[in-house]
């Protein structure tokens, strides 16, 4: 299948590109290096330097034989969108091209505005391009479990059946998120749902939980093919951060009571979920919503898991409860459904001690590169945006 | 009270400014003439020429003695927002500063992008300005009843109590709108709700139905003080359009079956609703949602009302069912709650024959200015956005 990956340079985008070519698909990638620029500006560079996208595609081609064309440009600009769609006519689009970090979106006013405008404008342009060039294209959009927040009822898979005063209606599951970034993802869903109903587009919206991991089947052969590994408070996901903290002898920073529970998944499962979604497209006029995670953990459980495995490997791996810089429930009900991707054939890779040990080994190998000062800088949700 | 009206040149903004000064408030207005520019570009000018905002404030000052400072500029630009907030420190903000037309938002890609970016960026800047300059400021935001769409259950006033699998949660009432414009209003609500929860802002979100009318208590003395009266398909609201069509001997264009039912209100009621909201502010950390309309009518009922009154005044006033250019339910359940504003003291001005006759008289007086070719141009919801 001809698949266009937007945000193909990212933590998920690049591993997805390799995986889909290895599975026989014809893939092109698009990126404007926004993530790299923001990390450089904020002085939170990834653990290991990552070659640029042209260098990575060259490495992958020399290793695997698969060629991945790379388009470098800004998808908020229609002229660029137009060029990409004319040169590579996709049958499916995987849309990762967003500012992906909740803490960054809460950093200051310009970061907030960038997040809002970038994420919404790219999603709108993707919709307009599909309608203009080929309305049959399947859009696979990365959403987030964070769209649902932490309601006191079960989280269903995208939709909620409501009985009210003797009548019945099926709604998009009501969403209320915990950061501006997550709120832009709600807006994406609002936008996609409107155009699915109006234009009959086919869309899969993947409500993904936090992803952890570095290795995939495709990248083990060459460190040049590894994804970004951010371990800072802005762009690092929690488990990746804890692993680095354990190795760096920097007590793992648990926010508040640590009862915050989320659905997590291994990077390899992201690739499989996205591939299964692409290979089993949504119908015309369908907004298919799938909850994309494999296990739920509280932050305390994650820290304790990392501590246990890291200690068995000789690290101190202390845990430190810090004042919660975010505004969120620290103890709450959490029971989200997630059967859709299992039904499509997902075989989960759970968070075993072996998986953790491999991550810790990798971090230990690069221990000298860890800069502790970039781990925690207290981006507070309640600060003035100036 | 010191009140800043964003979009103070608009159909609602200018009458609100006069009304609030007449009621003893200290008012400033802000506008970038976006509505005027778009009407000129699309060749759908209002029935009667409207003096610019400086001329209108001068007319109002010479008539009433009340001075209204006017800031002309673009609220998507932070430098301008910063200037306005430093010069006029409001206690309340009335936020009308959005691209307000559903058909315009469906016209083509650039109109869609303009609607999305303008509406979201202005709302975000308003939030950021309030947080930076004075978090105690009460934001009164104009939303729309169109955010709810036409669900098959009762529409409540902003919130829905859900019982699900033995547990309970109160949610923002689930929203699904019928145009991109209306969808941007959903996104505004998402954004306001996030920052109300995170920063404890005080916000009133007014879910308003379509407004009709020309006259207010303040403008009868001077035609220079009248608001825009658009009668075109892009910017004209339905009842205003029907009145002009009846007078112009242009059969009233009912879309499809005409069973589309909405909550309507008189322009004078908008002013009273907004004033009551400002004078009775939401609490800190409260998103107060009020459904702002006084009566529900189907499109057929509106056309028949206009027909009856217009015929009694000697006009032909035919009705013509045309193919529905929109994508919407033409027959549906509709039972929206609207007690909040009545509880605040609203005394509705219903759509009486006298009200209709006054509007028809006004249209007849300006009959020569009506340009029938701008009434209906079939902006289709299902067109490619090119």
């Amino acid at each position: 299948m001809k698949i266009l990956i937007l945000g193909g340079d990212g933590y998920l985008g690049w591993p997805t590109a390799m995986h889909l070519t290895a599975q026989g698909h014809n893939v092109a990638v698009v990126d404007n290096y926004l993530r790299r620029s923001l990390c450089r500006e904020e002085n939170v560079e990834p653990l290991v330097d990552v070659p640029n996208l042209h260098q990575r595609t060259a490495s992958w081609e020399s290793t695997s034989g698969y060629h991945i064309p790379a388009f470098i440009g800004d998808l908020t600009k229609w002229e660029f969108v137009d060029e990409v769609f004319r040169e590579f006519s996709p049958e499916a689009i995987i849309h990762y091209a967003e500012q992906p970090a909740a803490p960054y979106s809460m950093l200051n006013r310009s970061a907030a505005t960038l997040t809002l405008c970038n994420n919404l404008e790219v999603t709108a342009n993707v919709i307009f391009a599909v309608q203009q060039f080929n309305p049959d294209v399947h859009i696979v959009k990365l959403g987030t479990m964070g769209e649902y927040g932490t309601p006191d009822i079960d989280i269903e898979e995208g939709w909620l059946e409501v009985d009210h005063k003797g009548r019945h209606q099926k709604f998009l599951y009501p969403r209320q998120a915990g950061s501006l970034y997550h709120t832009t993802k709600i807006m994406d869903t609002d936008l996609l749902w409107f155009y699915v109903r109006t234009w009959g587009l086919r869309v899969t919206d993947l409500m993904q939980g936090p992803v952890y991991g570095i290795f995939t089947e495709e990248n083990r052969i060459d460190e040049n093919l590894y994804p970004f590994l951010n371990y800072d408070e802005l762009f690092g996901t929690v488990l990746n951060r804890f692993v680095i903290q354990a190795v760096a002898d920097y007590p793992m920073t648990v926010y508040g009571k640590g009862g915050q529970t989320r659905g997590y998944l291994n990077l390899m499962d992201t690739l499989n979920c996205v591939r299964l979604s692409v290979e089993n497209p949504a119908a015309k006029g369908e907004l298919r919503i799938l909850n994309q995670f494999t296990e739920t953990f509280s932050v305390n459980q994650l820290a304790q898991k990392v501590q246990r495995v890291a200690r068995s490997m000789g690290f101190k791996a202390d845990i430190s409860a810090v004042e919660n810089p975010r505004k969120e429930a620290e103890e709450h009900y959490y029971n989200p459904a997630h059967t859709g991707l299992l039904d499509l054939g997902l075989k989960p890779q759970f968070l075993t001690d072996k998986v953790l040990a491999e991550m810790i080994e990798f971090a230990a190998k690069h221990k000298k590169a860890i800069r502790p000062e970039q781990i925690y800088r207290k981006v507070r949700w309640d600060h003035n945006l100036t």
Side-chain angles (χ1 to χ4, degrees), chain A:
Chain A
M1 201 183 290
K2 281 190 83 173
I3 303 167
L4 186 65
I5 301 179
L6 312 179
D9 187 51
Y11 173 57
L12 306 177
W14 173 245
T16 303
M18 289 190 291
H19 180 67
L20 291 176
T21 52
Q23 296 289 319
H25 296 290
N26 178 357
V27 172
V29 290
V30 186
D31 214 293
N32 65 342
Y33 297 132
L34 175 64
R35 159 70 168 271
R36 293 180 191 243
S37 305
L38 300 181
C39 288
R40 198 178 311 117
E41 286 169 21
E42 296 302 329
N43 190 25
V44 290
E45 305 264 3
L47 183 64
V48 179
D49 284 346
V50 172
N52 75 34
L53 198 45
H54 285 105
Q55 293 162 348
R56 294 164 110 181
T57 57
S59 292
W60 176 238
E61 187 164 358
S62 72
T63 303
S64 71
Y66 298 116
H67 175 64
I68 300 178
F71 297 88
I72 304 302
D74 182 351
L75 292 163
T76 68
K77 304 287 180 273
W78 179 256
E79 296 67 25
F80 178 65
V81 174
D82 185 82
E83 177 197 324
V84 170
F85 275 75
R86 285 179 199 280
E87 286 198 29
F88 185 89
S89 302
E91 295 164 90
I93 294 169
I94 300 169
H95 172 18
Y96 292 117
E98 304 217 338
Q99 192 296 99
Y104 180 80
S105 76
M106 302 304 291
L107 184 63
N108 55 38
R109 195 188 59 248
S110 68
T113 300
L114 182 152
T115 303
L116 181 68
C117 293
N118 181 78
N119 293 7
L120 268 292
E121 289 177 39
V122 174
T123 300
N125 276 345
V126 170
I127 291 167
F128 300 156
V130 166
Q131 173 71 349
Q132 178 167 331
F133 289 100
N134 179 5
D136 204 43
V137 168
H138 178 209
I139 301 172
V140 177
K141 167 74 178 66
L142 269 285
T144 160
M145 286 297 294
E147 292 184 34
Y148 301 120
T150 52
D152 209 32
I153 63 171
D154 286 5
I155 295 172
E156 304 299 341
E157 208 142 1
W159 307 91
L160 186 66
E161 304 273 351
V162 174
D163 290 302
H164 184 60
K165 298 181 179 172
R167 302 182 65 90
H168 181 82
Q169 175 72 41
K170 180 182 172 183
F171 286 112
L172 263 186
Y173 194 98
R175 286 153 159 79
Q176 49 186 0
S179 80
L180 176 61
Y181 154 73
H182 291 98
T183 303
T184 65
K185 295 286 203 177
I186 295 176
M187 296 172 174
D188 282 339
T189 300
D190 291 334
L191 199 64
L192 290 163
W193 177 220
F194 170 65
Y195 283 113
V196 163
R197 281 176 289 135
T198 304
W199 289 342
L201 303 184
R202 56 172 91 227
V203 175
T204 298
D205 202 353
L206 297 171
M207 301 293 125
Q208 185 175 247
V211 182
Y212 58 82
I214 306 139
F215 307 110
T216 70
E217 286 178 30
E218 295 77 23
N219 71 17
R220 288 179 180 275
I221 40 176
D222 182 355
E223 278 216 4
N224 278 323
L225 299 177
Y226 288 176
F228 299 114
L229 186 68
N230 277 84
Y231 55 96
D232 59 275
E233 178 193 8
L234 289 175
F235 289 93
T237 54
V238 58
L239 186 65
N240 290 354
R241 266 194 292 132
F242 281 176
V243 164
I244 302 286
Q245 290 183 324
V247 166
D249 200 15
Y250 190 116
M252 288 177 268
T253 42
V254 169
Y255 295 168
K257 293 180 185 162
Q260 303 91 318
T261 302
R262 302 289 184 269
Y264 292 84
L265 74 167
N266 190 303
L267 175 55
M268 286 192 280
D269 281 337
T270 293
L271 309 191
N272 283 312
C273 289
V274 168
R275 180 179 54 75
L276 288 166
S277 300
V278 168
E279 292 176 349
N280 300 278
K284 286 285 284 179
E286 182 191 8
L287 173 63
R288 176 178 59 173
I289 300 177
L290 301 168
N291 292 348
Q292 182 164 313
F293 66 94
T294 60
E295 300 169 277
T296 60
F297 301 108
S298 71
V299 175
N300 284 329
Q301 287 173 320
L302 282 182
Q304 285 154 12
K305 268 179 176 282
V306 173
Q307 182 175 64
R308 185 169 45 72
V309 177
R311 285 189 171 169
S312 76
M313 296 167 75
F315 296 100
K316 203 166 152 201
D318 284 340
I319 297 171
S320 165
V322 299
E323 193 202 350
N324 195 340
R326 305 186 176 199
K327 185 128 182 180
E328 62 185 358
E330 295 174 3
E331 286 172 333
H332 57 88
Y333 182 74
Y334 202 65
N335 188 30
H338 60 122
T339 56
L341 283 157
L342 298 171
D343 291 346
L344 287 182
L346 178 68
K347 309 277 180 246
Q349 323 264 333
F350 294 113
L351 182 57
T352 60
D353 288 2
K354 180 160 171 284
V355 167
L356 272 173
E358 271 197 331
M359 289 174 67
I360 293 167
E361 265 169 40
F362 178 82
K365 182 176 164 192
H366 294 280
K367 183 171 176 175
K368 279 192 184 155
I370 300 171
R371 298 193 306 143
E373 70 277 14
Q374 76 178 37
I375 290 175
Y376 185 54
R377 49 194 270 185
K378 298 189 191 174
V379 177
R380 293 182 61 93
W381 262 226
D382 62 359
H383 263 196
N384 270 1
L385 273 190
T386 51

